Each structure stands twice: as C-alpha cells, then as structure tokens.
Amino acid sequence: MDMLDPGLDPAASATAAAAARKIDGTRTPRDERRRAQHNEVERRRRDKINNWIVQLSKIIPDCNADNSKTGASKGGILSKACDYIRELRQTNQRMQETFKEAERLQMDNELLRQQIEELKNENALLRAQLQQHNLELVGESTRQ
C-alpha cells in the first residue's frame, strides 16, 4: 500500500498515501507537525472570533455576557448585534428625515423673515406717503 500508483498525478498520489496512513493509524513526524500547526492556526482563529464576540457583547445594549453564570450564547450575541444594527439604521434614517425637515423649516422661516422685511419696508413707504399728503392713519391718533 506504500507504493504510489505511477498513473496518478503527484497530488492525488500524496492524498492517496495520506489516506492509506490514516487507515493504518501511522503518522509521520511531518504529518504531526502539519497537524499541530493547523490546529494552532485554527485555535488562534477561534480565539479571535470569540474575542470579537465578547467585544460585541460589551457594546450591544442588554447583551452583557456576564448576565448569567455561563454568559450569553454566541448565537444570541450575534442575533442581538444584528437587531441592534437594524435599530441603529432605522434611528439613523429617522434622524436624517428629521434633519431634512428641520432644514426645510429653516428655509421656510428665512423666506418668511424676508417677506416680513419687505412688508415692513412697504409699510414704512406707505406711511411716508401718507405723511407727505398730510393724511392721518386710521387708529394712529389713538396710539400716540
């Protein structure tokens, strides 16, 4: 079984040989090193993922992992994180709409202020014309 089939490509032959060793239960030192290295890389990857999940649990409201002896499940934390992101997006959308409405109201107010100024100027002009012709404004004599 240790003989490789010359008809197979080298990668397939190596795979076939590894499969044969697995069946026999024998592993070469090279296989053990590769397996250990792979396990270490995988462990570091899992640790990073777990650390990010813990970070999420700390910043998501009502999602603190210290709520119970065992803490929240990873799935529960990720679910709450997704819910919170959706909530933030909706809040952001409402705030943008409110901001646009406030901007529109500011523009309306500015236009109304301009109209008031124009009406004040027109009123002053009309008062001046009345005074020029020695006419008294109705209700003006009682105000003085």
Side-chain angles (χ1 to χ4, degrees), residues 23-133:
I23 293 170
D24 290 344
T26 60
R27 289 194 177 121
T28 65
R30 178 177 174 265
D31 288 342
E32 288 295 330
R33 280 193 310 274
R34 289 182 69 206
R35 185 172 168 270
Q37 184 180 16
H38 169 75
N39 288 345
E40 179 62 22
V41 168
E42 182 62 20
R43 185 190 59 75
R44 277 189 258 132
R45 186 188 72 81
R46 283 191 316 268
D47 287 347
K48 283 182 184 179
I49 291 170
N50 289 335
N51 287 334
W52 284 116
I53 289 173
V54 168
Q55 291 296 316
L56 274 175
S57 74
K58 289 179 181 177
I59 61 174
I60 302 296
D62 302 326
C63 190
N64 196 345
D66 299 329
N67 284 345
S68 65
K69 290 179 183 177
T70 59
S73 71
K74 294 174 191 176
I77 292 168
L78 292 175
S79 174
K80 285 186 179 186
C82 288
D83 292 343
Y84 185 60
I85 290 169
R86 279 188 211 97
E87 181 183 325
L88 287 175
R89 284 183 171 170
Q90 289 172 351
T91 301
N92 191 25
Q93 181 66 33
R94 284 192 304 269
M95 289 177 77
Q96 286 176 350
E97 290 167 3
T98 301
F99 182 74
K100 285 179 184 176
E101 178 67 12
E103 281 183 328
R104 189 189 62 75
L105 290 173
Q106 276 184 321
M107 289 176 61
D108 289 350
N109 282 343
E110 186 56 35
L111 288 174
L112 290 171
R113 283 188 184 103
Q114 288 174 1
Q115 287 177 347
I116 288 171
E117 279 304 309
E118 290 170 6
L119 290 172
K120 280 182 180 179
N121 291 338
E122 184 181 351
N123 192 5
L125 183 65
L126 291 171
R127 284 178 188 266
Q129 287 176 352
L130 283 173
Q131 280 181 348
Q132 253 182 352
H133 298 302

